[in-house]
């Protein structure tokens, strides 16, 4: 997405798999309402999409850069597939995928290199006027980036970003998931704001910007749809409704407490602090069947329900997959010597 090769970070098929066909259909319907002749322009992207929900408007410079990162073919407008691929990264992208998006946003000249000057133009918009807090955090992060050299590649940028996750220059890309998923459904207007007010009043807003967490909100239409879809799936695979709801709620709690807003390995390990970390890590990789570096809600529910209420055969199959080696084509082979040795150690603990 927005890189020099013209490719998106996620291809369309992977984006559909991450979001789910029902959610993609809803996104594409919203796109159709905002687009003109099948193309989404900058103004509609900023006002109808980014600024359609609660919270302060996204600064114009940041909205423009984000638009360009979605626009992988540099056409000046977005196709529905480009839009779905971009939303999938914001909503369900792995941490490294979101950092790639962040890198693309800041790489204005698209030369695959960044300098502190590339970030400076966003610094003012991302500060909210508190000189001793956010501005100092931005300044410190910029100085740390400059220490890597006059320009840095994506690998060095990732190293820098992991050390400055709380910096306004980094945190906003992870906050967008909350803005789009938790506060208000994409493309839907707040009940007390008319479309005209939203399109006109927010379009010209200039000033500091930060994410606002949801306060005393009721469950959104999107959340209801997600819950309904998960419950229907749970019923199809033979899970009790109350167990599906409890495990989904637990997954959401882990997501909310995670640094990156996803259930990655670090968040997963923290969830089971009393269990041997080596076993928890193996369980994480076993549940991550899509190999994205994260555990999606259905992977979480299916795996943990097996641990809790699975039959003896289902649990044996899970343990086998935890310690078996994968073939190059992703098929499970057999438990090797090292896996067997670790399984024996785990059984003795």
């Amino acid at each position: 997405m927005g890189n020099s090769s013209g490719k998106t970070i996620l291809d369309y098929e992977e984006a559909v798999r991450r979001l789910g066909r029902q959610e993609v259909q809803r996104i594409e319907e919203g796109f159709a309402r905002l687009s003109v002749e099948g193309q989404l322009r900058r103004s509609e992207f900023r006002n109808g999409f980014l600024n359609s929900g609660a919270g302060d408007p996204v600064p114009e410079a940041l909205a423009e850069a984000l638009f360009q990162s979605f626009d992988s073919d540099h056409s000046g407008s977005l196709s529905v597939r480009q839009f779905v691929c971009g939303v999938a990264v914001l909503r369900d992208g792995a941490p490294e995928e979101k950092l790639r998006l962040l890198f693309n946003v800041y790489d204005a000249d698209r030369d695959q290199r960044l300098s502190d000057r590339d970030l400076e133009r966003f610094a003012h918009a991302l500060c909210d006027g508190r000189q001793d807090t956010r501005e100092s955090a931005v300044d410190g992060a910029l100085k740390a980036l400059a220490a890597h050299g006059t320009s840095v590649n994506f690998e060095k940028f990732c190293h820098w970003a992991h050390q400055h996750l709380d910096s306004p220059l980094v945190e906003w890309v992870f906050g967008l998931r909350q803005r789009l998923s938790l506060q208000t459904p994409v493309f839907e207007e707040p009940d007390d704001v008319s479309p005209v007010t939203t399109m006109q009043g927010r379009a010209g807003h200039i000033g500091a910007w930060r994410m606002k967490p949801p306060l005393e909100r009721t469950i959104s239409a999107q959340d209801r749809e997600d819950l309904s879809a998960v419950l229907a799936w749970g019923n199809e695979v033979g899970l009790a409704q109350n167990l599906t709801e409890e495990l989904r709620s637990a997954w959401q709690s882990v997501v909310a407490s995670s640094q990156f807003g996803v259930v990655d390995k670090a968040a997963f390990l923290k969830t089971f602090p009393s269990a041997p970390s080596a076993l928890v890590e193996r369980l994480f990789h076993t549940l991550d069947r899509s190999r994205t570096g994260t555990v999606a809600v259905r992977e979480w529910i299916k795996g943990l329900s097996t641990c809790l209420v699975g039959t003896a055969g289902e649990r044996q199959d899970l343990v086998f997959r935890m310690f078996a080696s994968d073939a190059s084509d992703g098929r499970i082979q057999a438990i090797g010597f090292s896996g067997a040795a670790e399984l024996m150690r785990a059984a003795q603990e």
Side-chain angles (χ1 to χ4, degrees):
M1 178 163 37
N3 54 35
S4 58
S5 64
K7 295 181 180 179
T8 57
I9 294 174
L10 297 178
D11 61 32
Y12 181 76
E13 289 71 23
E14 177 62 15
V16 171
R17 192 196 66 77
R18 298 270 187 99
L19 293 167
R21 171 48 63 184
Q22 183 178 6
E23 173 65 1
V24 169
Q25 181 179 354
R26 193 181 71 86
I27 292 173
E28 291 180 345
E29 289 172 353
F31 179 93
R33 292 195 296 272
L34 291 176
S35 62
V36 177
E37 297 182 352
Q39 297 292 312
L40 188 65
R41 299 174 299 188
R42 287 173 167 81
S43 58
E44 286 74 23
F45 176 82
R46 182 177 67 249
N47 301 317
F49 170 57
L50 288 179
N51 293 334
S52 65
D56 295 343
V58 177
E60 186 172 348
L62 199 60
E64 171 63 21
L66 192 60
F67 176 88
Q68 291 182 10
S69 72
F70 276 42
D71 182 17
S72 55
D73 59 1
H74 319 326
S75 65
S77 61
L78 302 181
S79 69
V80 65
R81 290 198 167 209
Q82 288 174 324
F83 185 73
V84 169
C85 291
V87 171
V89 174
L90 292 177
R91 291 271 293 269
D92 294 293
E96 293 302 306
E97 292 166 345
K98 291 187 178 183
L99 290 180
R100 168 58 73 178
L101 173 63
L102 189 65
F103 183 88
N104 291 347
V105 165
Y106 291 145
D107 183 21
D109 55 7
R110 308 195 187 201
D111 63 353
Q112 298 300 297
R113 306 285 297 183
L114 283 186
S115 70
D116 56 348
R117 291 187 296 276
D118 288 322
L119 277 72
E120 282 177 353
R121 68 191 187 100
F122 296 100
H124 177 72
L126 289 167
C127 294
D128 61 5
R130 291 176 286 176
Q131 301 293 328
D132 60 338
T133 54
R134 290 177 72 89
E135 288 198 8
S136 62
V138 168
D139 290 342
L142 289 175
K143 290 178 181 178
L145 181 65
H148 286 279
T150 56
S151 65
V152 297
N153 59 16
F154 177 65
E155 182 180 358
K156 291 182 178 179
F157 172 78
C158 279
H159 178 73
W160 166 83
H162 279 292
Q163 294 179 325
H164 296 85
L165 292 173
D166 294 331
S167 167
L169 290 166
V170 179
E171 66 177 357
W172 69 265
V173 77
F174 297 99
L176 274 176
R177 182 185 188 280
Q178 182 184 71
R179 184 184 183 99
L180 300 179
S181 299
L182 298 181
Q183 289 186 295
T184 54
V186 180
F187 302 115
E188 292 188 13
E189 299 292 343
D191 294 337
D192 57 346
V193 180
S194 70
V196 173
T197 301
T198 300
M199 296 292 285
Q200 294 179 347
R202 290 176 177 168
H205 180 90
I206 299 175
W209 174 72
R210 63 189 183 278
M211 290 295 171
K212 288 185 177 180
L215 300 175
E216 299 179 359
R217 71 177 186 87
T218 58
I219 187 169
S220 67
Q222 178 58 42
D223 205 31
R224 288 194 297 271
E225 291 175 6
D226 290 345
L227 176 58
S228 177
V230 168
L231 290 177
W233 165 81
N235 184 61
E236 290 176 4
V237 298
L239 296 178
Q241 179 173 324
N242 63 335
L243 178 62
T244 302
E245 290 178 328
E246 289 175 6
L247 289 175
R248 177 179 180 269
S249 178
W251 180 86
Q252 289 178 316
S253 296
V254 177
V255 167
S257 62
S258 168
Q259 260 185 330
F260 297 106
V262 293
V263 181
D264 57 9
K265 184 170 70 174
F268 193 85
L269 287 170
K270 290 179 181 178
T271 306
F272 307 97
S274 60
S277 59
L279 287 181
V280 177
E281 185 170 344
R282 280 187 175 272
L283 179 60
F284 170 80
H285 290 299
T286 302
L287 299 190
D288 178 24
R289 306 191 73 166
S290 58
R291 300 294 187 267
T292 61
T294 62
V295 174
V297 63
R298 296 189 185 190
E299 294 172 331
W300 169 280
I301 293 172
K302 183 62 175 175
L304 295 190
S305 65
T306 298
C307 297
L308 294 171
V309 299
T311 65
E314 290 170 338
R315 293 181 182 182
Q316 289 170 1
D317 177 69
L318 177 62
V319 172
F320 178 83
R321 288 190 289 109
M322 285 175 62
F323 290 91
S325 57
D326 287 351
S328 58
D329 60 1
R331 294 179 298 175
I332 299 297
Q333 289 184 311
I335 297 180
F337 177 79
S338 61
E342 187 172 348
L343 177 57
M344 291 294 293
R345 289 194 298 270
Q348 293 170 357
E349 293 183 358

